[in-house]
């Protein structure tokens, strides 16, 4: 079945399979574990082990990709992965794991890390960072996640503005980046402080809506007005095919009380060309009670953040406050 093989280190092999036999093996081997993009790692196990895996030593695991398979030692994998260590403990280590939905280079970098390759020699290309983070999360490889995050932070500190946008994209696409709270917060704050440069970048319009929400929901983001932000978001929506839900979450960042009647008219005019359903979603979001809430955090008001405080707007009603601790006492004294 094996056409040829090449040993790269004492820890793992690259296996090259004949295409037809490889496809047949993929169909018949029910012992595979599908990645967590489909089901949990431990949920896809069966008692059946096909004959294709019977010749593989029990102390090895095959990582399957679309073009080639990687054989790594279970002992080494367990040292790096809490998930594999747990399976070893319970004697449920599978003979093969199907990672065919992931970038092949990402899987190769994973095997390099498990094999103990020096981090300076690991391939950490921009196009595989998202897959690497997800693989590190699936296998619970905390050291690997830390290494990737450190690499991203270093790129942001030393590289061009596009690296910051890449990092923001990673944060929005994989929650494992959020586990590094300090790093994630620093990246978002840096982007908010340099929002003008971020907006002018050619990468701005390929950023996910989730990234824009992280930036434009902040009180300290540097924008001149809610109207300016609304026009920016409309431009983003028109750049390519978007969904109504994207329009809704984006315009949930707009603080409607700071929009005048004239501003609302301008927004309606700028929305021309968008799908009718999307225009309705934007209008309903701007009119929602949530969008009419204001930030009254003392520090923000004292710092004169333009998006904070009660707007000087006649259309925005003000609620008279009642001191609930004193008024009942006064009423009691009258009696």
């Amino acid at each position: 079945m094996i056409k040829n093989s090449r040993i790269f280190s004492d820890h793992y092999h690259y296996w090259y399979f004949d295409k037809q036999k490889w496809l047949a093996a993929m169909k018949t081997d029910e012992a595979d574990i599908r990645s967590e993009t489909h089901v949990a790692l431990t949920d896809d196990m069966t008692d059946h082990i096909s004959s294709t895996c019977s010749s593989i030593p029990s102390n090895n695991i095959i990582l399957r990709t679309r073009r080639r398979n990687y054989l790594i030692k279970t002992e080494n994998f367990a040292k790096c992965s809490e998930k594999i260590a747990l399976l070893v403990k319970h004697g449920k280590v599978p003979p093969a794991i199907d990672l065919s939905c992931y970038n092949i280079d990402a899987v190769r970098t994973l095997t390099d890390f498990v094999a103990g390759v020096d981090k300076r020699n690991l391939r950490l290309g921009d196009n595989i960072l998202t897959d690497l983070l997800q693989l590190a999360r699936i296998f619970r490889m905390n050291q690997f996640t830390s290494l990737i995050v450190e690499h991203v932070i270093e790129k942001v500190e030393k590289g061009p503005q596009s690296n910051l946008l890449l990092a923001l994209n990673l944060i929005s696409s994989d929650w494992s980046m959020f586990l590094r709270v300090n790093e994630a917060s620093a990246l978002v704050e840096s982007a908010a402080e340099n929002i003008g440069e971020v907006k002018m970048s050619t990468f701005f319009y390929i950023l996910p809506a989730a990234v824009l929400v992280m930036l434009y929901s902040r009180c300290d983001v540097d924008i001149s007005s809610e109207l300016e932000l609304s026009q920016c978001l409309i431009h983003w929506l028109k750049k390519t095919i978007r969904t109504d839900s994207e329009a809704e979450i984006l315009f949930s960042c707009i603080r409607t009380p700071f929009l005048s009647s004239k501003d609302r008219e301008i927004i309606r005019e700028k929305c021309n060309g968008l799908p009718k359903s999307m225009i309705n979603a934007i209008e309903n979001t701007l009119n929602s009670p949530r969008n009419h809430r204001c930030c009254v955090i003392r520090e923000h008001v004292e710092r004169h953040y333009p998006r904070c405080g009660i707007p000087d707007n006649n259309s925005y009603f003000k609620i008279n406050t009642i001191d609930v601790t004193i008024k009942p006492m006064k009423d009691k004294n009258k009696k």
Side-chain angles (χ1 to χ4, degrees), residues 130-238:
T130 301
D131 278 4
L132 286 177
L133 276 173
Q134 192 174 54
L135 288 170
R137 172 169 55 83
I138 288 172
F139 291 110
R140 300 177 192 169
M141 302 172 68
N142 296 327
Q143 290 184 342
F144 195 33
T145 301
S146 297
L147 186 149
I148 298 168
V149 173
E150 290 172 5
H151 170 75
V152 171
I153 296 296
E154 185 177 349
K155 282 176 65 68
V156 170
E157 292 176 346
K158 298 181 179 180
Q161 196 71 33
S162 58
N163 288 346
L164 175 59
L165 300 182
L166 169 67
L168 291 173
N169 196 3
L170 289 174
I171 291 176
S172 69
S173 63
D174 198 297
W175 58 261
S176 58
M177 279 284 283
F178 275 115
L179 298 181
R180 273 65 185 174
V181 178
N182 293 335
E183 290 85 350
S185 298
L187 289 172
V188 174
E189 287 180 11
S190 176
E193 292 172 359
N194 300 279
I195 194 65
E197 296 179 25
V198 171
K199 190 170 62 174
M200 294 298 293
S201 170
T202 55
F203 293 91
F204 178 77
Y205 295 101
I206 63 174
L207 285 176
V211 171
L212 300 185
V213 170
M214 282 193 296
L215 295 176
Y216 288 120
S217 60
R218 295 173 62 95
C219 291
D220 59 350
V221 65
D222 186 16
I223 59 172
S224 61
S225 66
E226 299 300 313
L227 175 60
E228 178 214 347
L229 176 54
S230 298
Q231 292 174 316
C232 173
L233 297 180
I234 292 171
H235 194 192
W236 185 90
L237 290 170
K238 287 184 174 181

Side-chain angles (χ1 to χ4, degrees), residues 244 273-282:
D244 293 352
L274 292 175
K276 181 65 176 177
S277 59
M278 185 175 291
I279 295 175
N280 291 336
I282 292 173

Side-chain angles (χ1 to χ4, degrees), residues 8-9 11-12 108-109 111-123 147:
F8 277 75
S9 72
H11 302 281
Y12 63 92
R108 181 176 179 178
T109 298
T111 60
D112 284 343
F113 178 80
V114 172
V117 172
D118 190 285
K119 65 179 182 179
R120 293 171 296 183
N121 297 324
L122 291 175
R123 300 172 180 84
L147 186 149

